[in-house]
Structure formats: structure tokens, C-alpha cells
Amino acid sequence: MSNPVFFPGGASVSLDDIAALAGISLPEGADGSRTFATVAPLETAGPGDLAYMDNPRYGDALAATAAGACLVSQRYADRVPAGTVALITREPYRVFAQVLARLYPAAVRPQALFSATGVSPGAVVHPDARLESGVAVDPGAVIGAGAEIGSGTLIGANAVIGTGVRIGRDCAIGAGAVLSHTLVGNRVIVHPGASIGQDGFGFAMSARGHLKVPQVGRVIIQDDVEIGANTTIDRGASRDTIIGEGTKIDNLVQIGHNVVIGRHCVIVAHVGISGSTTLGDFVVMGGQSGSVGHVHIGSGAQVAAGTGITTDIPPGAVWGGAPARPIKDWLREVAWLKRMVAGRHANRRQEGRQDGKDDGGAPV
């Protein structure tokens, strides 16, 4: 549940407001002026709460909810109790997210620890850095020479902004994040502990030892990107590492040098993307998947969790397994292996009965 200490509420939203966000009409008899200031899960919601439902697993919870109103898709609308206003929309979760942003604006991005604007005591800003009005810098942050930061941006406590780094407007750089050799667009969120722009992993290897190859590229982060806590993004070797607009990157992701990620991709936790890999637009990589270097993942492709990518993936394809292959092929192989193991167990048990013994179905 939300706590006003951590998430002070914003303005209440009315049913009319919610209907406008969703682009829907209210059900007949609903009072459009009725307001909601809190949200809650279906199971615990009361008459003053807004809830949502878009997963069939929660059908029973929907039928029993006491929520004042519930965002729900058409297929589940008949399960909404009579005392709950059914707000029928094609995208209940998306509309719920929009309402949450209205009610709890502090939860949208990292917030300043001190004042909303200005340089806090204990921060160090180089005289040659340029900060537009409306920038907030928390204690312990360090901003290097030649750095440029746009209005409305927060630099969190103990964050380090390197020499010449440029950060656009309305960004949030979380506590302890480190940015070097990086150009950042507008409305970018970097969560605490992320490291962006450090050396790519480049060495000229030989029997005489491994010679470090200087990494002289940059990291380019376009507008509306979000980067999770403790994620690392290496700068390019001789060209840039690029993160396309609207891409969302989870915690603990590693992105190697020269990687190019397209627009509106989703990269889930523990993914590793090796150097010079290219992702098209709207690619999804499931948790703990990874790629070798120099492969191309086409636009709209989806990669299952735990997948090991060793070759190019066509646009729009869904692949899984290690090594990666079309997901239908992978699932057939898994099913075949399961049948083979089950058959072998059955044969062993049959042989045991014929010998007057029972191995109890012991593992092979």
C-alpha cells in the first residue's frame, strides 16, 4: 500500500477525469464528479479506492471486490460487482498507470532529497559547468568541467557527472549514478547506481599479453529512455553506443560497446548484450537472456527469458532456448525430451517389475 511518507498524494481524480484519460464514456448512472485519491488491489480496495483488473487469475477477486471503481476490459466486465463502477477500457493497466501518475507524482521518477531546485550544500559543481535554471543538485554530487544540464533535471546525491557530459531537460539522475562520455536527451530517468560511459571491454589479445584498446566513442541516450538501478552501459570503441528513444532498461543489465538499441525496446533484468550487437525497434529481451557480439535482432522480435543468442534473429520473430532458435522449435525439442525421459522411466519400472523388483521410479 502507498504510504504518504514515501509517496505524498497529488490531486484527486474524478470519474470524469479517468474517463477522459481512457477515452471512454461512463456507465449510465455513474456520478462523474465522484473523486478518488487512493488506489488499492482488488482484494483490499474499499469504496474510496480505484482498482484495475486485466488478468484472468484475478477473476474471483474482481467478483468480490469492494472497490469504488475498477478499470476493466470488456471480457471481464460482467464480473464487476453491482456496487463498483465498471470503467470498461481496452487498456485497463495503461489507464491505471496514467491515474497513478496523477495521484502519486513523486513515484514517477527519483526525487530530490533537499530543495526542488538549486545546488545543495556539499555538492561540487565545476565553475565551467553550465546548469540551466531549475536544476536540482543533491548533496555529494559532483559535476565536472564543461558539463551541461537542462532545466528541470535532478542530479541525485553522490552522483558523478563527468567532464563534457550533456544532460537534457526534465531528467532524473539517481543517487550514486555515474555518467561519463555521454550525451543524454530529455525526460531520461537513470536510477541509482547505474554506470554509463565507462570503458568498453576491448583488448588486443595475444600470447604476449592482452593490450588495452582505448575506447574513444560515446554513449548516446535519446529522449524518454529509462535505465534501471546498477545497469552498466559501455561507451563505444570507435563509434557510439546508442540507446533509442523510449527504450526501457531494467536493473542489472550490461550493454557492451558499440551496441545500438532501437526505439521503444524493453530489456529485462540480467540481460547481457555483447559489443556491436544491433537491436531494431520494439525488441523485447526477457530476463537473463544474452547475445554474442555482432548479431542483429530485427524490429519487433521477442526473446524468451534465458535465451542465448548466437545468430541474427529476423524481424517479428519469437525465439528461445540456448542456443536460440524459433520458439516453436525449442518447445518441440523440450516436449520431445520430456517424453523421452518419461518413457525411459516407464521402461525401467517395467523391467523392475519383470525382475520382481521395483526401482520406485528412481532418476536415471
Side-chain angles (χ1 to χ4, degrees), residues 205-229:
M205 299 183 183
S206 76
R208 292 177 293 169
H210 308 315
L211 180 65
K212 184 178 183 65
V213 178
Q215 307 288 289
V216 296
R218 304 170 297 180
V219 176
I220 309 295
I221 299 173
Q222 297 179 356
D223 294 348
D224 300 303
V225 168
E226 185 159 351
I227 297 168

Side-chain angles (χ1 to χ4, degrees), residues 30-162:
D31 179 5
S33 65
R34 181 179 178 182
T35 60
F36 294 87
T38 55
V39 299
L42 291 165
E43 300 89 337
T44 60
D49 297 320
L50 174 72
Y52 85 97
M53 189 275 195
D54 68 349
N55 188 319
R57 293 185 177 185
Y58 299 101
D60 291 342
L62 175 63
T65 192
C70 182
L71 292 156
V72 64
S73 60
Q74 181 66 59
R75 65 182 295 194
Y76 305 120
D78 61 351
R79 304 203 66 180
V80 178
T84 299
V85 178
L87 302 172
I88 301 172
T89 171
R90 294 177 60 186
E91 299 180 300
Y93 190 42
R94 185 178 184 89
V95 178
F96 187 72
Q98 292 174 292
V99 174
L100 278 175
R102 291 271 192 97
L103 296 178
Y104 306 105
V108 174
R109 65 178 213 168
Q111 299 294 303
L113 298 180
F114 273 47
S115 60
T117 61
V119 178
S120 299
V124 179
V125 179
H126 194 280
D128 292 338
R130 296 178 55 194
L131 278 60
E132 290 185 341
S133 62
V135 172
V137 183
D138 270 343
V142 177
I143 299 176
E148 298 182 5
I149 301 173
S151 63
T153 290
L154 161 69
I155 307 300
N158 297 323
V160 177
I161 308 302

Side-chain angles (χ1 to χ4, degrees), residues 10 70 96 114 129 140 160 167 198 202 228 248 257 260 279 289 293 306 353 356:
C70 182
F96 187 72
F114 273 47
V160 177
I167 300 173
Q198 64 280 343
K248 311 303 181 187
H257 60 188
V260 176
L279 278 65
S289 60
R353 284 193 291 269

